[in-house]
Amino acid sequence: QVQFVESGGGLVQPGGSLRLSCAASRSISSLGTMGWYRQAPGKQRELVARISNSRAIYYADSVKGRFAISRDNAKKTVYLQMNSLKPEDTAVYYCNRAGAELSWGQGTQVTVSS
């Protein structure tokens, strides 16, 4: 079993930035590809970005050019740098093993509003 603890969310104005962190309770290198997901009110959870151990990266079209995913296997942590935030980025953000998800953490709320 592994637990994920997401942090770094908050209230930010449109155009602002946030950096999310996801700390895992055990090695993420053994988990392989890690992903950031988000779920907006009334919508299904969606994949935002994923990163493999070899640093192969995928971004959803909606965040391409604005978000950057990274990982530090030694710290068992995955990051999501979010720039040029838009109101439509408002959601609860989660991390998990991409494609074969494990138990979900509590997530971190991101609210983009003026």
Side-chain angles (χ1 to χ4, degrees):
Q1 278 287 8
V2 59
Q3 284 78 45
F4 300 111
V5 179
E6 300 89 351
S7 62
L11 173 63
V12 63
Q13 292 187 342
S17 298
L18 286 172
R19 189 192 194 208
L20 306 184
S21 298
C22 169
S25 60
R26 66 172 179 87
S27 167
I28 60 171
S29 60
S30 64
L31 296 178
T33 300
M34 295 295 297
W36 277 99
Y37 300 75
R38 67 186 181 188
Q39 186 167 23
K43 295 188 176 181
Q44 288 191 333
R45 188 175 287 156
E46 63 174 351
L47 177 67
V48 173
R50 64 174 183 251
I51 181 170
S52 71
N53 273 321
S54 63
R55 294 349 188 235
I57 290 174
Y58 159 87
Y59 295 106
D61 287 343
S62 58
V63 307
K64 203 171 293 184
R66 300 187 298 120
F67 289 11
I69 189 171
S70 60
R71 65 191 292 164
D72 186 331
N73 286 352
K75 294 183 178 179
K76 300 181 290 183
T77 301
V78 186
Y79 304 97
L80 187 68
Q81 177 67 42
M82 305 188 298
N83 300 323
S84 302
L85 282 161
K86 304 176 181 180
E88 51 263 43
D89 295 319
T90 295
V92 180
Y93 285 71
Y94 305 86
C95 73
N96 211 315
R97 182 174 64 179
E101 291 80 8
L102 303 168
S103 297
W104 295 94
Q106 295 294 315
T108 186
Q109 175 71 48
V110 172
T111 303
V112 185
S113 174
S114 55

